[in-house]
Amino acid sequence: MAISAEFTRKLAVPAERLRTTCKPLDQVEARGGDVAPTTYLGQQRAVDSLRFGIDMARDGYNVFVLGPVGSHRHALAEELARASAAERASPDDWCYANNFSDTERPQALRLPAGRGVAFREDMRALIDEIRIAIPTVFEDDDYRNQLKAIEAEVQDEIEALWQSIRDEAEKDDIAVLQTPTGYVLAPVSDGKVIDDKDFDKLPESKRKAIQAAIQRLSDELEARIESLPKLRKQQHERVRALDRDVAAHTVSVLIRDLIAKYADVPDVARWLEDAQADIVENAQEFRQSGEPAL
């Protein structure tokens, strides 16, 4: 049976239809949430298993991925984990800070997402400011004047002790003399210290009176000498109290804004208060050269 040319022409296939052209993988549109990533075609079971493990919202569960080299198992796991994380709220930040009551056990501070880095930078800026402020305030004229006032008051108290015993000794014709080895008491006649020869020439009653006075004054002199370390200790305590007040005021001015900034994070606000107390307690380290540890 003869086939007409017209019929043959109808059965002809155009050249552009002799092959199928596929779009590149990165241009293929996803058709639903259950479709595997286009870069991991043929791994649907692996994708489903990973999604099941990643979506397990309970503590203590982990995902173990095993596959041959070149299977892109790590990239697949990371891609699915990132996709899942993008649908969830950002996790809180955690900062490990010094534990001032137990330095061997750092304290974990929990902050809203994104504020951990800001807190770290705020603390660095605070310490930099304190390193400048504390040495400066202790070089200030106001501090030096208060220090001199304390020293002058203590020196006046010491001088008053010596003057009182001098006045008491003078009534009994006895002088209080300071020597390289300490203080001694000596009899006086006509305003001058007399030696042993002149002392022996005095009437016996006079000698006995002078010896009794010297013995009594010796006890009082010894009591005053023993009180000197106490006065010096009180002076040191007053200086330490002054140093603490000056440091506390300086640190308080610098840290108060930071405490207010983190008032909505109670754990951080409390830690800042502990840090403030620790800095004040160890202000001496900031007065010296070098970088003190917080």
Side-chain angles (χ1 to χ4, degrees):
M1 172 178 163
I3 300 176
S4 65
E6 183 64 23
F7 181 76
T8 301
R9 200 166 31 252
K10 290 181 179 180
L11 296 178
V13 178
E16 62 272 12
R17 294 184 60 189
L18 294 177
R19 64 176 182 177
T20 299
T21 302
C22 299
K23 292 183 179 179
L25 291 177
D26 59 356
Q27 296 181 13
V28 177
E29 297 181 359
R31 293 174 295 172
D34 296 332
V35 178
T38 57
T39 53
Y40 302 103
L41 296 176
Q43 301 186 38
Q44 188 61 44
R45 289 182 59 192
V47 171
D48 293 342
S49 298
L50 279 170
R51 283 180 173 161
F52 177 79
I54 292 172
D55 292 339
M56 185 68 68
R58 291 180 178 273
D59 294 334
Y61 287 90
N62 299 283
V63 174
F64 181 78
V65 181
L66 182 66
V69 175
S71 61
H72 303 290
R73 59 195 184 281
H74 295 147
L76 173 60
E78 181 178 353
E79 180 178 322
L80 294 178
R82 287 183 179 278
S84 178
E87 299 174 356
R88 305 179 186 183
S90 298
D92 290 337
D93 291 345
W94 289 90
C95 295
Y96 283 96
N98 184 35
N99 185 339
F100 300 103
S101 59
D102 186 356
T103 55
E104 298 296 325
R105 297 176 179 273
Q107 184 174 351
L109 301 177
R110 185 172 186 171
L111 296 94
R115 296 184 67 182
V117 173
F119 176 62
R120 180 190 64 191
E121 297 306 315
D122 286 341
M123 285 306 303
R124 286 177 175 173
L126 173 67
I127 297 304
D128 287 342
E129 292 175 353
I130 289 175
R131 286 196 183 109
I132 297 173
I134 287 183
T136 300
V137 75
F138 282 103
E139 294 294 330
D140 188 74
D141 288 341
D142 183 56
Y143 170 77
R144 291 180 179 274
N145 291 335
Q146 293 184 69
L147 197 61
K148 289 178 180 179
I150 293 174
E151 294 173 351
E153 289 176 15
V154 173
Q155 192 59 42
D156 289 344
E157 290 185 46
I158 294 174
E159 183 58 33
L161 285 177
W162 295 128
Q163 190 59 47
S164 66
I165 199 168
R166 288 193 199 100
D167 294 342
E168 209 172 321
E170 187 177 354
K171 295 176 184 178
D172 295 316
D173 293 327
I174 296 173
V176 181
L177 305 176
Q178 184 174 5
T179 68
T181 58
Y183 292 89
V184 295
L185 300 170
V188 175
S189 178
D190 296 329
K192 296 180 180 181
V193 176
I194 61 176
D195 56 20
D196 293 341
K197 286 183 178 181
D198 292 333
F199 180 75
D200 291 338
K201 294 177 182 179
L202 297 174
E204 184 178 355
S205 59
K206 180 68 172 177
R207 292 200 306 269
K208 288 183 178 180
I210 291 175
Q211 289 172 343
I214 288 176
Q215 182 59 49
R216 175 175 52 81
L217 290 169
S218 293
D219 294 339
E220 294 183 14
L221 179 61
E222 184 177 355
R224 282 167 170 75
I225 292 174
E226 290 177 351
S227 69
L228 290 179
K230 183 178 180 181
L231 287 174
R232 291 301 182 188
K233 180 181 178 182
Q234 291 175 351
Q235 177 186 1
H236 294 155
E237 289 175 350
R238 292 176 64 184
V239 171
R240 282 197 294 269
L242 172 63
D243 289 351
R244 183 176 181 83
D245 290 344
V246 170
H249 176 73
T250 303
V251 176
S252 175
V253 170
L254 294 174
I255 204 172
R256 66 174 56 155
D257 290 341
L258 206 55
I259 293 176
K261 178 179 179 179
Y262 292 95
D264 60 325
V265 189
D267 287 346
V268 175
R270 282 191 295 269
W271 185 87
L272 285 170
E273 293 174 354
D274 292 341
Q276 178 179 355
D278 187 78
I279 293 170
V280 172
E281 189 67 26
N282 297 282
Q284 184 64 32
E285 296 186 22
F286 288 89
R287 296 174 64 177
Q288 300 169 352
S289 59
E291 298 185 355
L294 179 61

